[in-house]
């Protein structure tokens, strides 16, 4: 879904003048999108620590109700927005894709936090999915570890801007033959099968990390282990040991 | 609470034939087959170590190790750290589940991550990874899959689901299949010190 500003053909100044006289000029799209963006129902589920920030956003201090998104629904059938809040492990990924498939159109997805965007600090782990965008399309990526509640509110406002730019005539969910369901990955012997869905995501052309850090090494293969028979090494932060005093000159 | 060295002499005196070794602040049990006897002594003697707080695995490249932390709830003492070593090819250690019920899931976890087989465990199967997962991911020689490159199994799965796989990705997968290789992960090396 490409973003396009909601362009009205009526001059803004004229609208403002008419509004002063009690005449409201609008378009069907504006009215329709205003209604939709003002009552986004998020799905009530969290995967890790980002969910705590999501809960804080829903509570009184940050109050996501100001944006009309306070109704967290415990069922995917009743929600418009999936906030993927937290680390998506490989064991959890099939369920997240299944939840997305079960949501009714129109549906939107916000990935909240570094983990659900790209794996975050666990990117090299054997157990963590490198971003849920490998299996489902994402509307708003929201970086942070975890993002502050303000950031989630900003992400929601970005989503509202996106909804504002949609038109009834061209929206996907009124077109025939739309099927926004994606295959649910299976557990394989070394990870998920498939590793990603090329309909949704493709590997980057350039490997930025490799260019930045030079020659690669194999993940997980380590050829060093501590020798327990030796005394433990001093902590790295400790100050260097004072130099031994010079030996007494033999008299 | 006894010191580790005193504990060593006490256990060795109580259970003849057991040899322990001091490793840093812990006790290394030389023969894994003595583990149940030693644990029973720790639990039922006047030491009263009635709480097995943790069972973990560790990989030291030439051998695998299972580490036990015992505490006493009654005497508020502990921990007593006990290590048991086993070889990498056929790692077998007696299970402590019969003595300490809480060891059940922790032994399953050590089995899941390191492949240590706890003999006598009532239900030894994977706990974090799914059934059908191959390999022991916390071992130092575990080779992780490359999550950016599809293999033929992925391509066949996707095409079975009706997803069109782009030609370059498919060609790469076919080439890997021809060479009989897996796509293994590569990680950037350490950054140069500034």
């Amino acid at each position: 879904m490409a973003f396009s500003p909601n362009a009205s053909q009526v001059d803004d100044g004229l609208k403002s003048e008419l509004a002063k006289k009690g005449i409201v000029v609008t378009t069907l799209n504006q009215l329709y999108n205003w209604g939709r963006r003002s009552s986004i129902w998020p799905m009530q589920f969290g995967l890790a620590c980002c969910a705590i920030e999501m809960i804080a956003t829903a509570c009184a201090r940050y109050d996501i109700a100001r944006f009309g998104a306070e109704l967290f629904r415990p069922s995917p059938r009743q929600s418009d927005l999936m906030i993927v809040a937290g680390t998506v492990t490989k064991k959890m990924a099939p369920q997240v894709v299944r939840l997305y498939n079960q949501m009714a159109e129109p549906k939107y997805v916000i990935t909240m936090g570094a983990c659900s965007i790209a794996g975050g600090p666990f990117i090299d782990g054997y157990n963590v999915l490198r971003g849920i965008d490998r299996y489902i399309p994402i509307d708003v990526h929201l970086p942070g570890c975890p993002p502050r509640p303000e950031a989630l509110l900003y992400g929601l406002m970005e989503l509202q801007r996106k909804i504002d730019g949609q038109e009834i005539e061209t929206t996907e969910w009124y077109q025939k033959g739309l099927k926004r369901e994606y295959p649910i990955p299976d557990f394989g012997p070394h990870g998920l099968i498939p590793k990603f869905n090329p309909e949704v995501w493709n590997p980057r052309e350039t490997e930025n990390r490799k260019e930045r850090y030079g020659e690669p090494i194999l993940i997980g293969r380590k050829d060093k282990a501590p020798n327990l028979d030796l005394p433990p090494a001093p902590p790295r932060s400790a100050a260097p040991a004072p130099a031994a005093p010079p030996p007494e000159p033999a008299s | 609470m006894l010191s580790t060295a005193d504990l060593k002499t006490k256990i060795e005196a109580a259970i003849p034939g057991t040899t322990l070794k001091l490793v840093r602040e812990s006790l290394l049990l030389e023969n894994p087959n003595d583990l149940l006897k030693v644990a029973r002594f720790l639990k039922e003697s006047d030491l009263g170590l009635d709480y097995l707080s943790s069972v973990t695995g560790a990989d030291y490249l030439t051998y695998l190790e299972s580490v036990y932390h015992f505490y006493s709830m009654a005497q508020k003492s502990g921990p007593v750290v006990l290590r048991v070593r086993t070889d990498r090819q056929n790692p077998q250690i007696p299970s402590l589940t019969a003595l300490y019920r809480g060891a059940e899931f922790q032994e399953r976890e050590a089995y899941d991550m390191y492949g240590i087989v706890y003999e006598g465990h009532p239900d030894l199967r994977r706990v974090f990874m799914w059934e059908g997962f191959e390999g022991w991911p916390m071992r130092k020689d575990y080779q992780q899959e490359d999550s950016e490159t599809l293999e033929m199994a992925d391509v066949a799965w996707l095409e079975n689901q009706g997803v069109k796989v782009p030609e370059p990705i498919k060609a790469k997968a076919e080439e890997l299949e021809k060479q009989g290789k897996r796509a293994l992960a590569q990680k950037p090396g350490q950054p140069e010190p500034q």
Side-chain angles (χ1 to χ4, degrees), chain A residues 91 134 189 195 217 220 224, chain B residues 128 134 140 147 149 187:
Chain A
K91 213 169 173 184
R134 285 169 175 252
K195 291 168 186 166
I217 55 169
K224 276 194 281 188
Chain B
F128 288 141
E134 286 174 10
K140 294 202 175 192
S147 46
T149 314
K187 181 188 168 187

Side-chain angles (χ1 to χ4, degrees), chain A:
Chain A
M1 278 182 283
F3 171 75
S4 61
N6 197 358
S8 166
Q9 288 175 354
V10 183
D11 181 49
D12 279 343
L14 177 59
K15 267 201 278 189
S16 167
E17 284 301 309
L18 286 169
K20 281 177 196 161
K21 305 281 179 200
I23 301 166
V24 177
V25 180
T26 184
T27 63
L28 189 58
N29 269 331
Q30 270 180 349
L31 206 60
Y32 181 69
N33 288 336
W34 169 74
R36 287 198 308 123
R37 78 165 149 79
S38 307
S39 71
I40 299 172
W41 290 9
M43 204 194 310
Q44 188 183 42
F45 85 111
L47 299 173
C49 32
C50 283
I52 306 299
E53 296 295 299
M54 186 175 76
I55 294 162
T57 316
C59 288
R61 185 177 176 107
Y62 295 99
D63 199 7
I64 205 169
R66 292 177 294 152
F67 301 87
E70 77 278 19
L71 213 55
F72 280 83
R73 303 304 294 187
S75 162
R77 308 280 185 202
Q78 301 168 354
S79 32
D80 308 310
L81 168 65
M82 178 154 92
I83 304 174
V84 186
T87 316
V88 187
T89 57
K90 284 180 181 167
K91 213 169 173 184
M92 196 64 195
Q95 283 82 296
V96 177
V97 179
R98 191 185 298 274
L99 283 175
Y100 178 83
N101 287 349
Q102 288 175 346
M103 284 167 72
E105 293 284 348
K107 49 189 172 187
Y108 304 94
V109 184
I110 292 179
T111 52
M112 185 176 176
C115 296
S116 56
I117 292 174
F122 314 110
I123 183 165
D124 288 329
Y126 60 92
N127 55 343
V128 172
L129 185 70
R130 291 189 178 186
I132 190 63
D133 58 350
R134 285 169 175 252
Y135 297 115
I136 54 177
I138 308 296
D139 293 282
V140 179
H141 288 282
L142 189 60
C145 188
R148 296 264 321 158
E150 295 94 324
L152 180 57
L153 291 178
Y154 180 71
L156 185 69
M157 285 156 72
E158 286 296 296
L159 182 69
Q160 289 182 332
R161 271 184 53 197
K162 190 168 187 172
I163 293 173
D164 256 346
Q166 295 179 331
E167 292 176 17
I168 303 179
E169 295 88 1
T170 57
T171 46
E172 294 138 324
W173 56 89
Y174 286 139
Q175 311 295 318
K176 274 183 186 163
L178 173 74
K179 188 169 162 288
R180 275 205 294 188
E181 283 181 21
Y182 292 91
I184 297 163
D186 281 337
F187 295 133
H190 305 107
L192 290 175
I193 291 181
K195 291 168 186 166
F196 57 87
N197 186 350
E199 267 185 335
V200 184
W201 185 89
N202 273 297
R204 284 172 290 277
E205 303 265 317
T206 55
E207 183 60 76
N208 291 334
R209 302 171 78 208
K210 191 172 166 182
E211 279 175 19
R212 169 67 180 80
Y213 292 115
E215 283 303 303
I217 55 169
L218 287 175
I219 280 187
R221 267 191 63 179
K222 296 175 188 71
D223 47 9
K224 276 194 281 188
N227 185 356
L228 293 180
D229 294 331
L230 303 177
R236 236 176 258 171
S237 58
E248 296 285 321
S251 55

Side-chain angles (χ1 to χ4, degrees), chain B residues 18-160:
Chain B
T18 313
T19 41
L20 290 162
K21 198 179 139 196
L22 277 178
V23 174
R24 294 189 182 174
E25 285 298 301
S26 59
L27 291 171
L28 169 66
L29 189 61
E30 303 273 3
N31 184 1
N33 295 329
D34 294 336
L35 178 65
L36 264 174
K37 275 186 277 179
V38 172
R40 188 163 177 199
F41 175 73
L42 292 178
K43 187 180 180 187
E44 292 173 359
S45 70
D46 58 334
L47 291 166
L49 295 161
D50 49 5
Y51 177 49
L52 178 57
S53 146
S54 93
V55 181
T56 39
D59 184 358
Y60 286 93
L61 287 171
T62 48
Y63 56 89
L64 293 175
E65 205 175 74
S66 188
V67 188
Y68 302 85
H69 287 70
F70 296 93
Y71 286 83
S72 171
M73 286 285 126
Q75 301 173 16
K76 301 209 185 333
S77 64
V80 170
V81 186
L82 192 68
R83 298 167 183 265
V84 182
R85 289 183 185 168
T86 175
D87 66 320
R88 284 178 76 92
Q89 273 67 46
N90 187 22
Q92 287 194 334
I93 291 173
S95 167
L96 287 191
T97 311
L99 270 176
Y100 296 92
R101 197 61 218 265
E104 184 183 345
F105 268 40
Q106 304 197 45
E107 285 178 350
R108 270 179 72 184
E109 184 186 342
Y111 165 74
D112 192 1
M113 296 289 126
Y114 292 94
I116 302 170
V117 176
Y118 290 91
E119 287 167 289
H121 191 283
D123 183 25
L124 195 64
R125 53 197 169 90
R126 289 192 180 270
V127 60
F128 288 141
M129 307 311 286
W130 49 87
E131 291 291 315
F133 188 82
E134 286 174 10
W136 314 109
M138 293 285 272
R139 281 204 195 177
K140 294 202 175 192
D141 60 352
Y142 179 71
Q143 291 206 316
Q144 207 173 305
E145 63 168 16
D146 177 15
S147 46
E148 318 279 314
T149 314
L150 291 190
E151 291 169 14
M152 250 352 244
D154 302 313
V155 174
W157 189 95
L158 283 165
E159 285 181 341
N160 191 30

